[in-house]
Amino acid sequence: MSSSSHNSAQAHWAHIVQAAISASKQWSEQQTAAGIRALHTQLDAVTAGPVADAFQNLSDLQQDLARTWSQQQASTLSAISSRTQACASDLRRAQTKDEVGIVIAGYANDVGTHVREQLEQTMTLLNSASAASEVLVQKTLTQMTAGAPPK
């Protein structure tokens, strides 16, 4: 092999290597760009549209539930406190064992009735919140599967 053909082969080989390096670099850049586009698409799916709305709606529902439940508990504790104070006052006025028994029985009945009513209200609240969250999730899933924009 002559020196000229050897140099020509080396030049040809170098050109092929340079082309391969350039193609590899372009492929890497395209893969990076495709990966970034996929990331943006996934972020859009989570931060916009039905999914984001669902998270916000469920968060709002949870906050409403916590606020309402807290108000119910405060109301219950206030009512029991008032009944306890009234019971203590009635017990101070009681003169006989029978009067003490009547006061305590009345107190237990009043508190028991109030607690039962509050438990019923709490169960209604929890059932309503559960039904509302189920509706929100089903609505979101329906929108996502249909590709519909959020409403």
Side-chain angles (χ1 to χ4, degrees), residues 52-118:
D53 289 346
F55 284 135
Q56 184 60 51
N57 290 339
L58 288 171
S59 175
D60 291 345
L61 178 63
Q62 190 274 336
Q63 289 175 8
D64 289 343
L65 172 63
R67 184 175 31 259
T68 303
W69 196 7
S70 176
Q71 290 169 349
Q72 282 184 352
Q73 288 175 333
S75 173
T76 298
L77 292 174
S78 177
I80 289 173
S81 176
S82 294
R83 284 179 168 85
T84 300
Q85 289 174 7
C87 177
S89 177
D90 290 345
L91 286 172
R92 283 187 191 98
R93 287 191 303 267
Q95 298 295 317
T96 67
K97 177 178 157 184
D98 288 340
E99 288 176 347
V100 169
I102 291 170
V103 168
I104 299 243
Y107 171 76
N109 186 45
D110 287 349
V111 169
T113 299
H114 186 75
V115 168
R116 271 192 302 280
E117 289 170 355
Q118 289 303 310

Side-chain angles (χ1 to χ4, degrees), residues 5 17 20 22 28 41 51 71 100 106-107 114 126-127 137 148-149 151:
S5 67
V17 170
S22 177
S28 177
T41 300
V51 174
Q71 290 169 349
V100 169
Y107 171 76
H114 186 75
L126 293 174
N127 286 336
V137 168
K151 293 180 182 180

Side-chain angles (χ1 to χ4, degrees), residues 112-132:
T113 299
H114 186 75
V115 168
R116 271 192 302 280
E117 289 170 355
Q118 289 303 310
L119 285 174
E120 288 172 4
Q121 288 180 5
T122 298
M123 290 307 299
T124 299
L125 174 67
L126 293 174
N127 286 336
S128 295
S130 177

Side-chain angles (χ1 to χ4, degrees), residues 3-58:
S3 172
S4 166
S5 67
H6 181 48
N7 286 342
S8 176
Q10 281 182 336
H12 183 65
W13 176 250
H15 181 64
I16 291 172
V17 170
Q18 284 177 334
I21 290 171
S22 177
S24 175
K25 184 178 178 184
Q26 288 176 358
W27 175 256
S28 177
E29 289 170 355
Q30 289 177 356
Q31 287 296 98
T32 299
I36 290 172
R37 284 192 305 272
L39 172 65
H40 290 170
T41 300
Q42 289 174 341
L43 289 172
D44 289 344
V46 173
T47 59
V51 174
D53 289 346
F55 284 135
Q56 184 60 51
N57 290 339
L58 288 171

